[in-house]
């Protein structure tokens, strides 16, 4: 089934919760499925833009993916319009934002089909993610049509292979109080490698060590599962309209 253009905005006030890691992973998953990907990097530190440059140098990039560094909602609108004007094709658009969402983000977020936030099971992340949720609720009051505010999902991030009792409690609390998708992002060296080297599938294909390949494949499968759950959330929303 054709999926068309899907726009996901990754937003959380909490710095370091894994926004850019999630963007790199989702971009990798969509590229691995043969789709085109556009990432809007709205972070002044150009974390995703810089990542693409390094990945290209290392030969771990794919021409189906593109990163655009901009803070300008109008530029994002114009570029999105250009994508929508192309003949129908599968295209994942990701918007990476910096910690500390502000009103300036309103116009960016309203162009997305889904808002997502990674949340680490720990008190600091929890409260700031709640604030992000409330910011989204307040956004409904600032727009003409509250239904234009995208759906919201959280993904639990950096879960240990053997979670402590406290961590398990934190996970439970997130599931009970936030719209969390079932598949978490595990704490993985592979994500650090992606950060330093490029797209998951491309690194995997240029790696000769079997064990590292296996780790990268597991991470890619995790990201594919997460992307599918986000896509389900977007479908539910369209059907409800
Ligand atoms: N699941 C994970 N496994 C291993 N390392 C992770 C994971 N998630 C995030 N990290 C690491 O945590 C650090 C912060 O992650 P990241 O840069 O994605 O956060 P961020 O939310 O984009 O931060 P900022 O708000 O500054 O933009 C990075 O070094 C990243 O590699
Ligand atoms: Mg970031």
């Amino acid at each position: 089934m054709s999926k068309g253009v899907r726009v996901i905005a990754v937003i959380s006030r909490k710095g370091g919760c894994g926004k850019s890691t999630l963007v790199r992973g989702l971009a990798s998953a969509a590229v691995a499925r043969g789709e085109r990907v556009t990432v809007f990097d709205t972070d002044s530190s150009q974390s995703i833009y810089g990542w693409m440059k390094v990945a290209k140098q290392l030969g771990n990039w794919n021409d189906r993916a593109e990163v655009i560094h901009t803070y300008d909602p109008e530029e994002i609108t114009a570029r999105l319009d250009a994508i929508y004007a192309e003949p129908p094709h599968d295209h994942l658009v990701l918007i990476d934002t910096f910690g500390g969402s502000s009103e300036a983000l309103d116009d960016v977020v309203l162009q997305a089909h889904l808002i997502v936030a990674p949340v680490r099971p720990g008190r600091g992340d929890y409260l700031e993610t709640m604030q992000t949720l409330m910011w989204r609720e307040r956004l409904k009051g600032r727009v003409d049509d509250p239904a234009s505010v995208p759906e919201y999902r959280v993904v639990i991030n950096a879960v240990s292979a053997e979670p402590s009792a406290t961590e398990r409690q934190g996970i439970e609390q997130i599931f009970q109080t936030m719209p969390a998708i079932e598949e978490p992002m595990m704490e993985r060296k592979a994500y650090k490698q992606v950060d330093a080297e490029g797209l998951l599938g491309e690194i995997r294909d240029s790696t000769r060590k079997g064990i590292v390949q296996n780790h990268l494949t597991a991470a890619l499968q995790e990201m594919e599962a997460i992307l599918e759950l986000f896509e389900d959330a977007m479908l539910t929303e369209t059907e409800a309209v």
Side-chain angles (χ1 to χ4, degrees):
M1 196 186 77
S2 163
K3 300 199 187 78
V5 180
R6 286 138 296 141
V7 185
I8 298 179
V10 184
I11 313 269
S12 174
R13 277 164 190 260
K14 177 70 187 176
C17 66
K19 294 179 288 294
S20 301
T21 303
L22 179 61
V23 166
R24 287 186 281 263
L26 293 174
S28 299
V31 164
R33 291 196 316 202
E35 296 176 14
R36 274 174 59 197
V37 175
T38 299
V39 182
F40 292 104
D41 181 4
T42 69
D43 190 339
S44 57
S45 67
Q46 305 196 0
S47 57
I48 299 285
Y49 192 74
W51 169 64
M52 174 191 66
K53 285 202 280 194
V54 172
K56 281 185 174 172
Q57 279 162 11
L58 296 173
N60 292 325
W61 194 249
N62 185 303
D63 286 343
R64 285 196 298 278
E66 187 183 9
V67 179
I68 295 157
H69 183 249
T70 178
Y71 320 97
D72 180 6
E74 283 176 20
E75 187 184 349
I76 297 181
T77 309
R79 296 233 183 208
L80 273 175
D81 285 347
I83 293 171
Y84 285 121
E86 286 182 43
H89 65 289
D90 290 345
H91 199 137
L92 180 68
V93 178
L94 298 162
I95 305 172
D96 188 26
T97 63
F98 44 94
S101 51
S102 70
E103 319 286 272
L105 277 178
D106 284 13
D107 292 337
V108 171
V109 165
L110 290 169
Q111 304 184 51
H113 302 121
L114 188 69
I115 299 171
V116 304
V119 52
R120 291 176 189 255
R123 190 170 163 72
D125 264 41
Y126 183 80
L127 293 178
E128 289 194 71
T129 309
M130 270 299 177
Q131 285 171 359
T132 311
L133 271 163
M134 288 189 286
W135 165 79
R136 176 185 165 272
E137 279 306 310
R138 285 197 304 273
L139 179 58
K140 287 185 182 169
R142 289 199 293 272
V143 295
D144 296 336
D145 176 15
S148 65
V149 176
E151 264 304 309
Y152 184 84
R153 291 289 184 278
V154 306
V155 54
I156 302 171
N157 183 30
V159 173
S160 346
E162 289 171 30
S164 65
T166 324
E167 197 178 340
R168 281 203 305 274
Q169 258 174 12
I171 293 171
E172 198 47 43
Q173 185 187 29
I174 293 166
F175 275 124
Q176 277 168 12
T177 52
M178 291 176 178
I181 59 162
E182 264 167 61
E183 181 89 14
M185 274 166 85
M186 303 299 286
E187 171 102 55
R188 289 178 191 275
K189 272 194 205 148
Y191 292 135
K192 301 258 182 217
Q193 201 180 342
V194 165
D195 194 351
E197 296 177 18
L199 289 161
L200 254 171
E202 277 58 22
I203 305 174
R204 195 237 349 243
D205 295 345
S206 62
T207 303
R208 256 174 270 136
K209 280 193 207 143
I211 178 106
V212 178
Q213 270 185 352
N214 292 346
H215 286 312
L216 290 162
T217 299
L220 189 56
Q221 283 168 348
E222 181 167 274
M223 277 301 154
E224 282 172 344
I226 290 169
L227 179 56
E228 276 174 28
L229 290 170
F230 287 157
E231 284 167 344
D232 289 348
M234 286 187 261
L235 273 181
T236 319
E237 196 202 5
T238 338
E239 277 162 8
V241 169

